[in-house]
Amino acid sequence: MMTTELTHESTLRELATEEGVLRYHEAGQGPPLLLLHGSGPGVTGWRNYRDNLATLSERFRCLVLEFPGFGVSDPTDRHPMVAAGGAVIRFLDGLGLQQVDVIGNSMGGIVAAQVAIANPDRVRRLVTIGGIGRNLFSPGPGEGINLLMEFTENPTRQALIQWLHSMVYDPALVTEELIEERWAQATDPATLAAARRMYGRAAFAAQRAHAAASDAPPYWAMLHKLKARTLITWGRDDRVSPLDMALVPMRTIPDAELHVFPDCGHWVMIEQKAAWESAVLAFLTRKDGR
């Protein structure tokens, strides 16, 4: 049982690497559990997972990595998603961790899957939260991604509020405190510049053109190579990455199970906190391997 309050300051750590300082939050003891955050205005790993740390850290050494390009770790000149996989490996190497369990929210789940495919011995079990996969029946990009692009192009407070509302099922979760902390980070010039490399309309169009011209398969077409046992978690009412996106990973990842949470948007670990934590702990601590 944790006896020390898990605050931002008490859990914050730094790791110097050859490509700059990686900042992270650490809590608990036990097998290492790496938590990777999603993208979007004002996101940080701490904000994604701060309310889950008390429960998860009772069983695991929780390591919440802050990706370069989001205003916490040292910045990167590259597309933040391109830089993320290398940051994960540098982080694991820097801490001397050969194998970890990984939880990835949205973009973090995509990065985790890519890392696990490329380095199958380093990820034991994988938990994803929305985001991973491919739109099959719903329009792509989804409502939340379009609102994210609108904010990135024209970062107003109202655009941020509209995007935040697309992330949740219960609008009461969009509090003034949440708006303020997200606004402060999202409008930082360096963070906004990195966001535009990801979600500006010109950047999005360039990414699509590059993908269309490339002979390399998209990551979701390679999920059959994922060796890690995988738990896919999803909000039934996700308006950022709609539920039909889960069908490809659920079918193609060799050892995957899917858990869908009702009355829940994109932030499953926040909106369905207790149910999500229960499902994740049961999956990660299962003794029989199934």
Side-chain angles (χ1 to χ4, degrees):
M1 186 69 64
M2 297 298 298
T3 56
T4 304
E5 184 182 2
L6 300 176
T7 66
H8 181 277
E9 290 73 22
S10 71
T11 58
L12 185 61
R13 311 281 188 269
E14 290 190 351
L15 176 68
T17 78
E18 66 274 15
E19 295 185 34
V21 173
L22 293 173
R23 293 179 178 86
Y24 65 102
H25 292 269
E26 180 172 359
Q29 296 179 341
L33 175 61
L34 176 63
L35 297 99
L36 303 178
H37 65 77
S39 61
V43 71
T44 68
W46 174 255
R47 288 171 190 158
N48 265 184
Y49 297 113
R50 59 188 168 192
D51 292 332
N52 308 118
L53 283 181
T55 297
L56 297 179
S57 64
E58 291 180 3
R59 303 292 295 270
F60 293 93
R61 178 191 178 191
C62 296
L63 302 162
V64 184
L65 175 61
E66 301 289 357
F67 286 131
F70 293 88
V72 181
S73 287
D74 282 0
T76 177
D77 292 332
R78 292 182 290 163
H79 188 292
M81 194 157 184
V82 173
V88 169
I89 297 301
R90 292 200 316 279
F91 183 68
L92 296 182
D93 288 348
L95 293 184
L97 298 172
Q98 181 55 39
Q99 188 179 68
V100 294
D101 291 339
V102 186
I103 296 175
N105 173 43
S106 196
M107 169 191 153
I110 296 172
V111 172
Q114 292 173 320
V115 168
I117 290 169
N119 307 271
D121 294 334
R122 306 208 71 168
V123 178
R124 187 188 73 105
R125 293 192 184 182
L126 171 63
V127 178
T128 65
I129 308 166
I132 193 171
R134 168 73 173 170
N135 298 64
L136 294 181
F137 307 118
S138 58
E143 175 192 354
I145 301 296
N146 276 305
L147 288 170
L148 175 53
M149 287 192 283
E150 288 180 18
F151 173 84
T152 303
E153 292 287 317
N154 184 26
T156 67
R157 184 182 173 86
Q158 185 57 36
L160 176 67
I161 292 170
Q162 288 180 311
W163 173 75
L164 286 170
H165 276 280
S166 78
M167 299 291 284
V168 297
Y169 174 81
D170 181 3
L173 290 172
V174 183
T175 62
E176 283 300 314
E177 181 182 10
L178 175 64
I179 294 165
E180 285 302 320
E181 69 177 10
R182 287 284 184 141
W183 174 254
Q185 180 114 2
T187 52
D188 171 77
T191 306
L192 187 58
R196 286 177 173 149
R197 290 201 295 275
M198 288 187 72
Y199 290 114
R201 294 203 180 273
F204 207 84
Q207 291 166 33
R208 285 196 156 186
H210 174 76
S214 175
D215 291 329
Y219 83 90
W220 51 263
M222 302 302 290
L223 291 174
H224 62 284
K225 291 186 172 294
L226 217 168
K227 305 297 185 188
R229 187 160 295 127
T230 301
L231 173 64
I232 303 163
T233 65
W234 220 285
R236 185 189 63 193
D237 309 288
D238 192 332
R239 291 148 59 197
V240 178
S241 50
L243 182 56
D244 63 279
M245 288 182 66
L247 294 175
V248 167
M250 179 269 292
R251 172 57 71 180
T252 57
I253 296 173
D255 198 347
E257 51 195 88
L258 172 64
H259 195 128
V260 180
F261 296 81
D263 299 341
C264 185
H266 193 59
W267 290 332
V268 185
M269 68 288 190
I270 294 172
E271 280 204 273
Q272 289 285 356
K273 175 183 179 301
W276 179 83
E277 290 170 352
S278 176
V280 168
L281 285 173
F283 171 74
L284 292 178
T285 60
R286 203 175 295 162
K287 298 297 185 185
D288 62 2
R290 310 305 302 172

PDB file of all heavy atoms in Angstrom, residues 97-124:
ATOM      1  N   LEU A  97      16.418  -1.427 -18.516  1.00  0.00           N
ATOM      2  CA  LEU A  97      15.251  -2.303 -18.513  1.00  0.00           C
ATOM      3  C   LEU A  97      15.221  -3.117 -19.812  1.00  0.00           C
ATOM      4  O   LEU A  97      15.056  -2.553 -20.895  1.00  0.00           O
ATOM      5  CB  LEU A  97      13.972  -1.485 -18.371  1.00  0.00           C
ATOM      6  CG  LEU A  97      13.841  -0.682 -17.072  1.00  0.00           C
ATOM      7  CD1 LEU A  97      12.640   0.238 -17.129  1.00  0.00           C
ATOM      8  CD2 LEU A  97      13.746  -1.625 -15.876  1.00  0.00           C
ATOM      9  N   GLN A  98      15.352  -4.433 -19.691  1.00  0.00           N
ATOM     10  CA  GLN A  98      15.361  -5.287 -20.868  1.00  0.00           C
ATOM     11  C   GLN A  98      13.948  -5.589 -21.352  1.00  0.00           C
ATOM     12  O   GLN A  98      13.687  -5.684 -22.550  1.00  0.00           O
ATOM     13  CB  GLN A  98      16.095  -6.594 -20.575  1.00  0.00           C
ATOM     14  CG  GLN A  98      16.178  -7.540 -21.767  1.00  0.00           C
ATOM     15  CD  GLN A  98      16.791  -6.906 -23.000  1.00  0.00           C
ATOM     16  OE1 GLN A  98      17.748  -6.142 -22.905  1.00  0.00           O
ATOM     17  NE2 GLN A  98      16.231  -7.206 -24.176  1.00  0.00           N
ATOM     18  N   GLN A  99      12.998  -5.751 -20.403  1.00  0.00           N
ATOM     19  CA  GLN A  99      11.624  -6.090 -20.784  1.00  0.00           C
ATOM     20  C   GLN A  99      10.644  -5.391 -19.852  1.00  0.00           C
ATOM     21  O   GLN A  99      10.865  -5.318 -18.646  1.00  0.00           O
ATOM     22  CB  GLN A  99      11.401  -7.603 -20.740  1.00  0.00           C
ATOM     23  CG  GLN A  99      10.061  -8.034 -21.306  1.00  0.00           C
ATOM     24  CD  GLN A  99       9.885  -9.545 -21.269  1.00  0.00           C
ATOM     25  OE1 GLN A  99       9.778 -10.139 -20.199  1.00  0.00           O
ATOM     26  NE2 GLN A  99       9.857 -10.173 -22.441  1.00  0.00           N
ATOM     27  N   VAL A 100       9.548  -4.887 -20.422  1.00  0.00           N
ATOM     28  CA  VAL A 100       8.534  -4.169 -19.653  1.00  0.00           C
ATOM     29  C   VAL A 100       7.150  -4.559 -20.158  1.00  0.00           C
ATOM     30  O   VAL A 100       6.985  -5.049 -21.273  1.00  0.00           O
ATOM     31  CB  VAL A 100       8.703  -2.634 -19.770  1.00  0.00           C
ATOM     32  CG1 VAL A 100       9.982  -2.164 -19.123  1.00  0.00           C
ATOM     33  CG2 VAL A 100       8.644  -2.194 -21.235  1.00  0.00           C
ATOM     34  N   ASP A 101       6.150  -4.321 -19.329  1.00  0.00           N
ATOM     35  CA  ASP A 101       4.777  -4.246 -19.787  1.00  0.00           C
ATOM     36  C   ASP A 101       4.527  -2.794 -20.191  1.00  0.00           C
ATOM     37  O   ASP A 101       5.132  -1.869 -19.629  1.00  0.00           O
ATOM     38  CB  ASP A 101       3.805  -4.650 -18.682  1.00  0.00           C
ATOM     39  CG  ASP A 101       3.894  -6.128 -18.340  1.00  0.00           C
ATOM     40  OD1 ASP A 101       4.388  -6.913 -19.182  1.00  0.00           O
ATOM     41  OD2 ASP A 101       3.479  -6.510 -17.232  1.00  0.00           O
ATOM     42  N   VAL A 102       3.632  -2.586 -21.141  1.00  0.00           N
ATOM     43  CA  VAL A 102       3.395  -1.236 -21.652  1.00  0.00           C
ATOM     44  C   VAL A 102       1.905  -0.953 -21.730  1.00  0.00           C
ATOM     45  O   VAL A 102       1.122  -1.797 -22.191  1.00  0.00           O
ATOM     46  CB  VAL A 102       4.023  -1.032 -23.048  1.00  0.00           C
ATOM     47  CG1 VAL A 102       3.880   0.426 -23.486  1.00  0.00           C
ATOM     48  CG2 VAL A 102       5.494  -1.436 -23.059  1.00  0.00           C
ATOM     49  N   ILE A 103       1.527   0.241 -21.281  1.00  0.00           N
ATOM     50  CA  ILE A 103       0.187   0.791 -21.500  1.00  0.00           C
ATOM     51  C   ILE A 103       0.348   2.008 -22.400  1.00  0.00           C
ATOM     52  O   ILE A 103       1.167   2.881 -22.120  1.00  0.00           O
ATOM     53  CB  ILE A 103      -0.484   1.198 -20.172  1.00  0.00           C
ATOM     54  CG1 ILE A 103      -0.710  -0.029 -19.281  1.00  0.00           C
ATOM     55  CG2 ILE A 103      -1.803   1.921 -20.436  1.00  0.00           C
ATOM     56  CD1 ILE A 103      -1.250   0.315 -17.896  1.00  0.00           C
ATOM     57  N   GLY A 104      -0.413   2.068 -23.479  1.00  0.00           N
ATOM     58  CA  GLY A 104      -0.330   3.195 -24.394  1.00  0.00           C
ATOM     59  C   GLY A 104      -1.703   3.754 -24.718  1.00  0.00           C
ATOM     60  O   GLY A 104      -2.592   3.013 -25.154  1.00  0.00           O
ATOM     61  N   ASN A 105      -1.866   5.046 -24.492  1.00  0.00           N
ATOM     62  CA  ASN A 105      -3.127   5.721 -24.804  1.00  0.00           C
ATOM     63  C   ASN A 105      -3.057   6.327 -26.197  1.00  0.00           C
ATOM     64  O   ASN A 105      -2.200   7.171 -26.465  1.00  0.00           O
ATOM     65  CB  ASN A 105      -3.396   6.811 -23.772  1.00  0.00           C
ATOM     66  CG  ASN A 105      -4.600   7.674 -24.135  1.00  0.00           C
ATOM     67  OD1 ASN A 105      -5.620   7.158 -24.562  1.00  0.00           O
ATOM     68  ND2 ASN A 105      -4.469   8.976 -23.984  1.00  0.00           N
ATOM     69  N   SER A 106      -3.936   5.903 -27.096  1.00  0.00           N
ATOM     70  CA  SER A 106      -4.073   6.494 -28.424  1.00  0.00           C
ATOM     71  C   SER A 106      -2.737   6.476 -29.170  1.00  0.00           C
ATOM     72  O   SER A 106      -2.218   5.414 -29.496  1.00  0.00           O
ATOM     73  CB  SER A 106      -4.648   7.901 -28.290  1.00  0.00           C
ATOM     74  OG  SER A 106      -5.150   8.386 -29.514  1.00  0.00           O
ATOM     75  N   MET A 107      -2.134   7.643 -29.424  1.00  0.00           N
ATOM     76  CA  MET A 107      -0.823   7.678 -30.053  1.00  0.00           C
ATOM     77  C   MET A 107       0.175   6.801 -29.300  1.00  0.00           C
ATOM     78  O   MET A 107       0.993   6.102 -29.912  1.00  0.00           O
ATOM     79  CB  MET A 107      -0.303   9.113 -30.114  1.00  0.00           C
ATOM     80  CG  MET A 107       1.172   9.234 -30.502  1.00  0.00           C
ATOM     81  SD  MET A 107       1.824  10.895 -30.263  1.00  0.00           S
ATOM     82  CE  MET A 107       3.567  10.511 -29.983  1.00  0.00           C
ATOM     83  N   GLY A 108       0.105   6.816 -27.978  1.00  0.00           N
ATOM     84  CA  GLY A 108       1.004   5.991 -27.187  1.00  0.00           C
ATOM     85  C   GLY A 108       0.831   4.503 -27.452  1.00  0.00           C
ATOM     86  O   GLY A 108       1.793   3.737 -27.401  1.00  0.00           O
ATOM     87  N   GLY A 109      -0.400   4.085 -27.749  1.00  0.00           N
ATOM     88  CA  GLY A 109      -0.643   2.691 -28.100  1.00  0.00           C
ATOM     89  C   GLY A 109      -0.054   2.328 -29.445  1.00  0.00           C
ATOM     90  O   GLY A 109       0.469   1.222 -29.631  1.00  0.00           O
ATOM     91  N   ILE A 110      -0.154   3.254 -30.398  1.00  0.00           N
ATOM     92  CA  ILE A 110       0.448   3.026 -31.713  1.00  0.00           C
ATOM     93  C   ILE A 110       1.962   2.899 -31.571  1.00  0.00           C
ATOM     94  O   ILE A 110       2.578   1.980 -32.128  1.00  0.00           O
ATOM     95  CB  ILE A 110       0.077   4.165 -32.676  1.00  0.00           C
ATOM     96  CG1 ILE A 110      -1.432   4.186 -32.917  1.00  0.00           C
ATOM     97  CG2 ILE A 110       0.829   4.029 -33.996  1.00  0.00           C
ATOM     98  CD1 ILE A 110      -1.911   5.402 -33.698  1.00  0.00           C
ATOM     99  N   VAL A 111       2.566   3.833 -30.831  1.00  0.00           N
ATOM    100  CA  VAL A 111       4.019   3.791 -30.624  1.00  0.00           C
ATOM    101  C   VAL A 111       4.406   2.490 -29.931  1.00  0.00           C
ATOM    102  O   VAL A 111       5.386   1.826 -30.322  1.00  0.00           O
ATOM    103  CB  VAL A 111       4.475   5.010 -29.803  1.00  0.00           C
ATOM    104  CG1 VAL A 111       5.947   4.885 -29.414  1.00  0.00           C
ATOM    105  CG2 VAL A 111       4.232   6.304 -30.584  1.00  0.00           C
ATOM    106  N   ALA A 112       3.657   2.094 -28.924  1.00  0.00           N
ATOM    107  CA  ALA A 112       3.967   0.863 -28.192  1.00  0.00           C
ATOM    108  C   ALA A 112       3.901  -0.348 -29.111  1.00  0.00           C
ATOM    109  O   ALA A 112       4.755  -1.241 -29.035  1.00  0.00           O
ATOM    110  CB  ALA A 112       2.997   0.699 -27.023  1.00  0.00           C
ATOM    111  N   ALA A 113       2.878  -0.409 -29.970  1.00  0.00           N
ATOM    112  CA  ALA A 113       2.754  -1.528 -30.901  1.00  0.00           C
ATOM    113  C   ALA A 113       3.928  -1.561 -31.867  1.00  0.00           C
ATOM    114  O   ALA A 113       4.489  -2.633 -32.153  1.00  0.00           O
ATOM    115  CB  ALA A 113       1.431  -1.437 -31.660  1.00  0.00           C
ATOM    116  N   GLN A 114       4.323  -0.399 -32.369  1.00  0.00           N
ATOM    117  CA  GLN A 114       5.459  -0.342 -33.291  1.00  0.00           C
ATOM    118  C   GLN A 114       6.755  -0.785 -32.606  1.00  0.00           C
ATOM    119  O   GLN A 114       7.559  -1.520 -33.191  1.00  0.00           O
ATOM    120  CB  GLN A 114       5.598   1.075 -33.852  1.00  0.00           C
ATOM    121  CG  GLN A 114       4.459   1.474 -34.780  1.00  0.00           C
ATOM    122  CD  GLN A 114       4.516   2.939 -35.194  1.00  0.00           C
ATOM    123  OE1 GLN A 114       4.828   3.812 -34.378  1.00  0.00           O
ATOM    124  NE2 GLN A 114       4.202   3.212 -36.450  1.00  0.00           N
ATOM    125  N   VAL A 115       6.957  -0.324 -31.371  1.00  0.00           N
ATOM    126  CA  VAL A 115       8.146  -0.731 -30.618  1.00  0.00           C
ATOM    127  C   VAL A 115       8.128  -2.231 -30.375  1.00  0.00           C
ATOM    128  O   VAL A 115       9.157  -2.924 -30.512  1.00  0.00           O
ATOM    129  CB  VAL A 115       8.238   0.045 -29.285  1.00  0.00           C
ATOM    130  CG1 VAL A 115       9.292  -0.569 -28.363  1.00  0.00           C
ATOM    131  CG2 VAL A 115       8.555   1.515 -29.549  1.00  0.00           C
ATOM    132  N   ALA A 116       6.970  -2.780 -30.022  1.00  0.00           N
ATOM    133  CA  ALA A 116       6.857  -4.207 -29.720  1.00  0.00           C
ATOM    134  C   ALA A 116       7.080  -5.063 -30.963  1.00  0.00           C
ATOM    135  O   ALA A 116       7.650  -6.158 -30.873  1.00  0.00           O
ATOM    136  CB  ALA A 116       5.500  -4.501 -29.110  1.00  0.00           C
ATOM    137  N   ILE A 117       6.641  -4.600 -32.117  1.00  0.00           N
ATOM    138  CA  ILE A 117       6.869  -5.345 -33.360  1.00  0.00           C
ATOM    139  C   ILE A 117       8.353  -5.348 -33.711  1.00  0.00           C
ATOM    140  O   ILE A 117       8.917  -6.377 -34.099  1.00  0.00           O
ATOM    141  CB  ILE A 117       6.028  -4.741 -34.508  1.00  0.00           C
ATOM    142  CG1 ILE A 117       4.533  -5.031 -34.275  1.00  0.00           C
ATOM    143  CG2 ILE A 117       6.466  -5.301 -35.861  1.00  0.00           C
ATOM    144  CD1 ILE A 117       3.613  -4.267 -35.203  1.00  0.00           C
ATOM    145  N   ALA A 118       8.993  -4.192 -33.564  1.00  0.00           N
ATOM    146  CA  ALA A 118      10.411  -4.072 -33.919  1.00  0.00           C
ATOM    147  C   ALA A 118      11.326  -4.702 -32.880  1.00  0.00           C
ATOM    148  O   ALA A 118      12.448  -5.117 -33.211  1.00  0.00           O
ATOM    149  CB  ALA A 118      10.776  -2.598 -34.102  1.00  0.00           C
ATOM    150  N   ASN A 119      10.871  -4.778 -31.621  1.00  0.00           N
ATOM    151  CA  ASN A 119      11.707  -5.291 -30.520  1.00  0.00           C
ATOM    152  C   ASN A 119      10.876  -6.276 -29.693  1.00  0.00           C
ATOM    153  O   ASN A 119      10.509  -5.984 -28.545  1.00  0.00           O
ATOM    154  CB  ASN A 119      12.179  -4.133 -29.635  1.00  0.00           C
ATOM    155  CG  ASN A 119      12.864  -3.029 -30.403  1.00  0.00           C
ATOM    156  OD1 ASN A 119      14.070  -3.056 -30.601  1.00  0.00           O
ATOM    157  ND2 ASN A 119      12.101  -2.033 -30.843  1.00  0.00           N
ATOM    158  N   PRO A 120      10.572  -7.441 -30.261  1.00  0.00           N
ATOM    159  CA  PRO A 120       9.609  -8.343 -29.612  1.00  0.00           C
ATOM    160  C   PRO A 120      10.017  -8.833 -28.231  1.00  0.00           C
ATOM    161  O   PRO A 120       9.142  -9.195 -27.432  1.00  0.00           O
ATOM    162  CB  PRO A 120       9.492  -9.509 -30.605  1.00  0.00           C
ATOM    163  CG  PRO A 120      10.708  -9.423 -31.471  1.00  0.00           C
ATOM    164  CD  PRO A 120      11.052  -7.968 -31.543  1.00  0.00           C
ATOM    165  N   ASP A 121      11.304  -8.837 -27.916  1.00  0.00           N
ATOM    166  CA  ASP A 121      11.741  -9.315 -26.601  1.00  0.00           C
ATOM    167  C   ASP A 121      11.604  -8.266 -25.508  1.00  0.00           C
ATOM    168  O   ASP A 121      11.783  -8.582 -24.327  1.00  0.00           O
ATOM    169  CB  ASP A 121      13.204  -9.773 -26.666  1.00  0.00           C
ATOM    170  CG  ASP A 121      13.387 -10.991 -27.559  1.00  0.00           C
ATOM    171  OD1 ASP A 121      12.419 -11.752 -27.715  1.00  0.00           O
ATOM    172  OD2 ASP A 121      14.494 -11.164 -28.101  1.00  0.00           O
ATOM    173  N   ARG A 122      11.273  -7.042 -25.879  1.00  0.00           N
ATOM    174  CA  ARG A 122      11.295  -5.963 -24.889  1.00  0.00           C
ATOM    175  C   ARG A 122       9.916  -5.638 -24.313  1.00  0.00           C
ATOM    176  O   ARG A 122       9.819  -4.925 -23.315  1.00  0.00           O
ATOM    177  CB  ARG A 122      11.934  -4.707 -25.493  1.00  0.00           C
ATOM    178  CG  ARG A 122      13.316  -4.986 -26.072  1.00  0.00           C
ATOM    179  CD  ARG A 122      14.208  -3.805 -26.058  1.00  0.00           C
ATOM    180  NE  ARG A 122      14.656  -3.442 -24.725  1.00  0.00           N
ATOM    181  CZ  ARG A 122      15.631  -2.567 -24.493  1.00  0.00           C
ATOM    182  NH1 ARG A 122      16.247  -1.984 -25.513  1.00  0.00           N
ATOM    183  NH2 ARG A 122      15.991  -2.268 -23.264  1.00  0.00           N
ATOM    184  N   VAL A 123       8.858  -6.138 -24.950  1.00  0.00           N
ATOM    185  CA  VAL A 123       7.502  -5.885 -24.453  1.00  0.00           C
ATOM    186  C   VAL A 123       6.849  -7.222 -24.122  1.00  0.00           C
ATOM    187  O   VAL A 123       6.625  -8.052 -25.005  1.00  0.00           O
ATOM    188  CB  VAL A 123       6.658  -5.116 -25.491  1.00  0.00           C
ATOM    189  CG1 VAL A 123       5.234  -4.907 -24.967  1.00  0.00           C
ATOM    190  CG2 VAL A 123       7.310  -3.777 -25.813  1.00  0.00           C
ATOM    191  N   ARG A 124       6.550  -7.420 -22.841  1.00  0.00           N
ATOM    192  CA  ARG A 124       5.938  -8.678 -22.408  1.00  0.00           C
ATOM    193  C   ARG A 124       4.435  -8.671 -22.693  1.00  0.00           C
ATOM    194  O   ARG A 124       3.912  -9.544 -23.374  1.00  0.00           O
ATOM    195  CB  ARG A 124       6.191  -8.899 -20.910  1.00  0.00           C
ATOM    196  CG  ARG A 124       5.729 -10.270 -20.399  1.00  0.00           C
ATOM    197  CD  ARG A 124       5.827 -10.342 -18.874  1.00  0.00           C
ATOM    198  NE  ARG A 124       4.783  -9.552 -18.232  1.00  0.00           N
ATOM    199  CZ  ARG A 124       3.702 -10.072 -17.640  1.00  0.00           C
ATOM    200  NH1 ARG A 124       3.524 -11.382 -17.601  1.00  0.00           N
ATOM    201  NH2 ARG A 124       2.804  -9.291 -17.057  1.00  0.00           N
TER     202      ARG A 124
END
